[in-house]
Amino acid sequence: MKRTLNLITLLTLSLFTAASAQQKTLPAKGLAVVAIGGKFKPFEFQRHAVGDNDIQIDILYASICHSDIHHVKGDWGKEEFPMVPGHEIAGKVVAIGKNVTKFKVGDLAGVGCMVNSCGQCEYCKAGLEQYCKDVVLTYHDKDQFHNNETTQGGYSNNITLTEGFAIKIPATADLKKVAPLLCAGITTYSPIRYAGVKKGDKVGVAGFGGLGHMAVQYAVKLGAEVTVFDITEDKRKDAKRMGAIRYVNVNDSAQLKGLDNSLNFVLSTIPASYEPNTYLKMLKIDGQMGIVGLPPYAVMPNIPIDKLIWQGNRKVFGSQIGGIKETQEMLDYSAANNIYPEVEIIPATATAVENAYKNVLDGKVKFRYVIDMKTLK
Amino acid sequence: MKRTLNLITLLTLSLFTAASAQQKTLPAKGLAVVAIGGKFKPFEFQRHAVGDNDIQIDILYASICHSDIHHVKGDWGKEEFPMVPGHEIAGKVVAIGKNVTKFKVGDLAGVGCMVNSCGQCEYCKAGLEQYCKDVVLTYHDKDQFHNNETTQGGYSNNITLTEGFAIKIPATADLKKVAPLLCAGITTYSPIRYAGVKKGDKVGVAGFGGLGHMAVQYAVKLGAEVTVFDITEDKRKDAKRMGAIRYVNVNDSAQLKGLDNSLNFVLSTIPASYEPNTYLKMLKIDGQMGIVGLPPYAVMPNIPIDKLIWQGNRKVFGSQIGGIKETQEMLDYSAANNIYPEVEIIPATATAVENAYKNVLDGKVKFRYVIDMKTLK
């Protein structure tokens, strides 16, 4: 009897939830891949509508992060499709819930890699929501706060999320360049701050792509002497232009000479296979190496612990993006200091995005593709 | 003609050096292994005699470090034989050079892993001689400051070295327990200080042997709540007796539950294969992992960089022993706070040393064998 009642209750609840969910959806459209490594296609889907604490953003720009490509290709494990990538989003607030205080309609707002978290754990309380075990990622995730809906990213026309995870964009910001700050900006700003980089420090930036070129700008702004490491000659002038004092093509071993024990901090943004000890050896005593670039699992670099011992009294740490509070700090700092990514604007078409992916993989992008989402058909 | 003259000069110099070296030797005897993994045998050899800046120590106690076994077995690469191991040495000063000011005849003195270094490089100047590229190790090394003589360690009756690398032992110290401080003591004291361990911190000590049981005592003395990790039940009571609040047998996965994100610092002293991520996962945000245990190269553990990123905002570092200044600080601190290893005294015979090695490898030692060198025949 009890079981029957429970079943009835469950069915009623399910129907109610379904009905309720149906009433609370927002039609959206974007560019999705429908299978692993597949092609982009126009895709229509539903998002949860604006709740009491939520804002709705009409997306103006979404940029292409190397990690989007890793997800589309399944480099980091199983993924769910169709997938609308994109966790670097800038747009305009078009609706707000009744409890919202941080935004009003017409404000500019950004979204990065996260759209929600538990709010209760020690990480959330410390402003490090990225480490919350219940964090909801902007795409390729299930949103347990919204009936486990599949989250879809920024290569789309709109997004809804709790105001707490949206970042305020100053009205004076150069909006077409803001989107990459929401991931590439905070992912490099946070470890540079965590390592305590300061004026006069000798800083290395390994990997001079979307992340790396942001890291160079932050470190230079903080007064560090920056050395850039990459595997091509094509970006030498760009590094100097952004304020680096040295550019090292690591494919030419002669250029690495004399660099051991020379750096206070090195940040690895490298998204492919490499030898971490190349950079560990460059650290001075008390130096630090931050790692943010996550290569595919099939070629994940290792640090054998004897290398840590031989290069003792140097510290290594990984870092994931940054918390919401620090993301706001980074965005304000970037806008105030005119620190932006170098971008190439592309239209919101499958062809343009696929071409951009190819160029990123071939190391041909300088430095971030931004999709003009207003051009989405 | 010039070449002939040079040859003559060279020959004259060589003869002079040889004669000079012959005059400046000190007969010594000890226990040596004559081939990789071989047996110990009595061994007579020559050390350089006391120079102007040197002291001669009659060795009273030498203890057995796990690394002695690694060297004897060739776990860390090619070695030279005959080899007299031993870099944990305590004894009495019996002669001093004319420039010596730190010691007088009759003083107690200790020697650790190093007997000299360049004195000029940034590491030497910073009191971190262990990272000097010209450091001379107490044994299994060539002494470039003494005609490249092969250094021989403490399983012997005497040693000569520059006063700068000898450590003063307070007259009140418990001498038979002092030798292990010179390596096991400083190797754990240094990273605990480097990590800034303080009262109330939650500290893990992985590997509860000669190094581990020193780490526990230092961390407890600093006011930390200490958890010990090992692979046996045999040492549970010892850990508690030394002040640990928890003992975890990592072979029983149930005992590991609930420990993730719980430690401010973990020190790995493990000399064998293990999974570093087991301990990385236990670190709280801003926590640190120090690594001092160096397993054989054939089974060297790796840290894949994705583990550092997933457990981001935690720092990992390796550490080698400690500099001379800090070694003196550690010895004074240990004696003042009655922090000593737990030791078992054995006679200076080949049989006793070989039996001790076997027990160390079988995890049966509690916690350090000390050879009474006065019993050397």
Side-chain angles (χ1 to χ4, degrees):
Chain A
M1 182 65 178
K2 194 175 175 194
R3 193 173 172 195
T4 314
L5 270 179
N6 280 353
L7 271 175
I8 291 168
T9 313
L10 200 63
L11 278 168
T12 315
L13 274 173
S14 300
L15 287 168
F16 175 77
T17 309
S20 155
Q22 218 158 22
Q23 286 161 9
K24 292 194 174 183
T25 57
L26 170 74
K29 61 180 180 175
L31 294 170
V33 283
V34 294
I36 185 166
K39 298 285 186 187
F40 277 93
K41 291 191 175 143
F43 176 62
E44 297 195 353
F45 58 104
Q46 300 291 316
R47 298 187 183 273
H48 63 273
V50 179
D52 291 346
N53 301 305
D54 296 343
I55 64 171
Q56 178 183 333
I57 299 170
D58 271 7
I59 298 176
L60 299 174
Y61 297 101
S63 43
I64 295 174
C65 177
H66 200 127
S67 65
D68 295 343
I69 304 177
H70 286 308
H71 285 296
V72 164
K73 292 175 67 185
D75 284 342
W76 294 335
K78 195 169 173 297
E79 304 279 1
E80 190 177 335
F81 297 91
M83 175 196 290
V84 179
H87 57 209
E88 298 182 335
I89 298 166
K92 187 167 281 190
V93 178
V94 294
I96 62 172
K98 67 178 184 183
N99 298 334
V100 168
T101 58
K102 189 167 144 186
F103 293 93
K104 57 184 193 305
V105 171
D107 282 353
L108 299 177
V111 182
C113 299
M114 309 178 279
V115 289
N116 218 334
S117 73
C118 82
Q120 304 298 321
C121 71
E122 61 179 319
Y123 302 126
C124 290
K125 286 178 179 168
L128 293 159
E129 300 88 351
Q130 72 270 35
Y131 297 115
C132 169
K133 71 178 175 50
D134 291 326
V135 68
V136 182
L137 302 175
T138 303
Y139 72 97
H140 69 91
D141 205 358
K142 293 290 182 187
D143 184 348
Q144 69 268 37
F145 304 104
H146 293 92
N147 301 316
N148 270 342
E149 81 178 12
T150 297
T151 57
Q152 300 289 9
Y155 300 3
S156 58
N157 65 330
N158 63 29
I159 190 166
T160 52
L161 78 163
T162 174
E163 65 166 339
F165 278 74
I167 309 297
K168 288 172 78 77
I169 300 174
T172 54
D174 189 350
L175 193 64
K176 69 181 180 302
K177 296 181 177 175
V178 163
L181 295 174
L182 278 304
C183 169
I186 184 62
T187 298
T188 52
Y189 179 89
S190 181
I192 285 171
R193 288 299 204 183
Y194 193 61
V197 170
K198 61 187 187 309
K199 189 172 177 173
D201 279 0
K202 293 178 174 44
V203 167
V205 174
F208 189 49
L211 270 65
H213 91 300
M214 293 309 304
V216 169
Q217 294 183 73
Y218 291 126
V220 166
K221 187 71 200 172
L222 289 165
E225 290 182 11
V226 177
T227 300
V228 169
F229 301 88
D230 208 303
I231 53 170
T232 167
E233 284 299 320
D234 298 347
K235 299 176 183 172
R236 188 175 287 276
K237 282 183 186 168
D238 300 299
K240 296 288 175 77
R241 179 168 46 79
M242 291 180 204
I245 60 156
R246 192 186 290 113
Y247 181 93
V248 174
N249 182 341
V250 294
N251 282 342
D252 175 9
S253 59
Q255 295 184 34
L256 289 165
K257 278 191 184 152
L259 292 175
D260 285 356
N261 302 308
S262 71
L263 301 177
N264 299 99
F265 177 60
V266 63
L267 184 67
S268 170
T269 72
I270 305 171
S273 182
Y274 68 103
E275 177 49 75
N277 198 47
T278 303
Y279 302 101
L280 272 179
K281 286 195 303 175
M282 291 184 199
L283 295 179
K284 290 170 181 270
I285 286 279
D286 297 338
Q288 299 181 79
M289 179 171 177
I291 300 177
V292 295
L294 185 67
Y297 279 118
V299 297
M300 192 65 68
N302 284 314
I303 303 177
I305 65 168
D306 61 298
K307 305 298 187 200
L308 290 169
I309 293 177
W310 301 135
Q311 276 86 241
N313 292 43
R314 284 90 164 168
K315 294 179 179 176
V316 182
F317 65 94
S319 181
Q320 285 178 45
I321 45 175
I324 293 300
K325 186 180 167 198
E326 195 177 33
T327 303
Q328 186 68 62
E329 175 189 310
M330 171 282 309
L331 192 62
D332 294 343
Y333 180 87
S334 303
N337 290 285
N338 202 33
I339 294 177
Y340 289 108
E342 302 204 350
V343 304
E344 183 178 336
I345 309 288
I346 60 172
T349 66
T351 310
V353 170
E354 278 164 16
N355 185 52
Y357 273 34
K358 186 172 182 310
N359 286 346
V360 171
L361 286 172
D362 293 346
K364 287 184 182 165
V365 56
K366 286 182 182 180
F367 280 87
R368 210 58 153 183
Y369 283 112
V370 174
I371 312 170
D372 179 352
M373 292 312 308
K374 296 185 301 299
T375 63
L376 183 70
K377 293 269 164 55
Chain B
M1 183 64 181
K2 194 174 175 194
R3 192 173 172 192
T4 314
L5 269 178
N6 279 354
L7 271 173
I8 290 167
T9 314
L10 201 62
L11 278 167
T12 315
L13 274 173
S14 300
L15 287 167
F16 176 76
T17 309
S20 152
Q22 219 159 18
Q23 287 160 6
K24 292 196 175 179
T25 57
L26 171 73
K29 61 181 180 174
L31 294 170
V33 282
V34 293
I36 186 167
K39 298 286 187 186
F40 277 93
K41 292 192 173 140
F43 177 61
E44 297 194 354
F45 59 104
Q46 300 290 318
R47 297 187 184 274
H48 63 272
V50 180
D52 292 346
N53 300 305
D54 297 343
I55 64 172
Q56 178 185 333
I57 300 170
D58 271 8
I59 298 176
L60 300 174
Y61 298 101
S63 43
I64 295 174
C65 176
H66 200 126
S67 66
D68 296 342
I69 305 177
H70 286 308
H71 285 295
V72 165
K73 291 176 68 185
D75 285 342
W76 293 334
K78 195 170 173 296
E79 304 280 0
E80 190 177 334
F81 297 92
M83 176 197 289
V84 179
H87 57 209
E88 297 182 335
I89 297 168
K92 188 168 282 190
V93 178
V94 293
I96 62 172
K98 67 177 183 184
N99 297 335
V100 167
T101 57
K102 187 167 145 187
F103 294 93
K104 58 182 192 305
V105 170
D107 283 354
L108 300 177
V111 182
C113 299
M114 309 178 279
V115 290
N116 219 334
S117 73
C118 83
Q120 305 298 322
C121 70
E122 60 178 322
Y123 302 126
C124 290
K125 286 177 179 167
L128 293 159
E129 300 88 352
Q130 71 272 34
Y131 297 115
C132 169
K133 73 179 173 49
D134 291 327
V135 68
V136 182
L137 302 175
T138 304
Y139 73 97
H140 69 89
D141 205 357
K142 294 290 181 187
D143 184 348
Q144 70 267 35
F145 304 105
H146 292 92
N147 301 316
N148 268 344
E149 80 177 14
T150 298
T151 57
Q152 299 290 9
Y155 300 3
S156 58
N157 65 331
N158 63 29
I159 190 166
T160 51
L161 77 164
T162 175
E163 65 167 340
F165 277 74
I167 308 297
K168 290 172 77 76
I169 301 174
T172 53
D174 189 351
L175 193 65
K176 67 181 182 302
K177 296 181 177 174
V178 163
L181 296 174
L182 278 304
C183 169
I186 184 62
T187 298
T188 51
Y189 179 89
S190 182
I192 285 171
R193 288 300 203 182
Y194 193 62
V197 170
K198 59 186 189 310
K199 188 171 178 176
D201 278 359
K202 294 178 175 45
V203 168
V205 174
F208 189 48
L211 269 64
H213 90 300
M214 293 310 305
V216 170
Q217 293 183 74
Y218 291 124
V220 166
K221 186 71 199 174
L222 289 166
E225 290 183 10
V226 178
T227 300
V228 170
F229 300 88
D230 208 304
I231 55 170
T232 167
E233 284 300 318
D234 299 345
K235 299 176 184 172
R236 188 175 288 277
K237 282 183 185 167
D238 301 299
K240 296 288 176 76
R241 178 167 49 78
M242 292 180 205
I245 60 156
R246 189 186 293 113
Y247 181 93
V248 174
N249 182 342
V250 293
N251 283 342
D252 175 9
S253 58
Q255 295 183 34
L256 289 165
K257 278 192 183 151
L259 292 175
D260 285 357
N261 302 308
S262 71
L263 301 176
N264 300 97
F265 178 60
V266 64
L267 184 67
S268 171
T269 72
I270 304 172
S273 182
Y274 68 102
E275 175 49 75
N277 198 47
T278 305
Y279 302 102
L280 273 179
K281 286 196 303 178
M282 292 183 197
L283 296 178
K284 292 171 181 267
I285 285 281
D286 296 339
Q288 299 181 79
M289 178 170 180
I291 300 177
V292 294
L294 184 67
Y297 279 119
V299 296
M300 193 64 68
N302 284 314
I303 303 176
I305 65 169
D306 62 298
K307 304 298 187 198
L308 290 169
I309 294 176
W310 301 136
Q311 275 87 240
N313 291 44
R314 285 92 165 168
K315 294 179 179 176
V316 183
F317 65 95
S319 181
Q320 286 178 45
I321 45 174
I324 294 299
K325 187 181 166 195
E326 194 178 32
T327 304
Q328 186 68 62
E329 175 190 310
M330 171 282 309
L331 193 63
D332 295 342
Y333 180 87
S334 303
N337 290 286
N338 202 32
I339 295 177
Y340 289 108
E342 302 203 350
V343 304
E344 183 177 334
I345 309 287
I346 60 171
T349 65
T351 310
V353 170
E354 278 164 15
N355 186 52
Y357 273 33
K358 186 172 181 311
N359 285 346
V360 171
L361 285 172
D362 293 347
K364 286 183 180 166
V365 56
K366 286 183 180 180
F367 280 87
R368 210 57 153 183
Y369 284 113
V370 174
I371 312 171
D372 179 352
M373 291 315 306
K374 296 185 301 299
T375 63
L376 184 70
K377 293 267 166 56

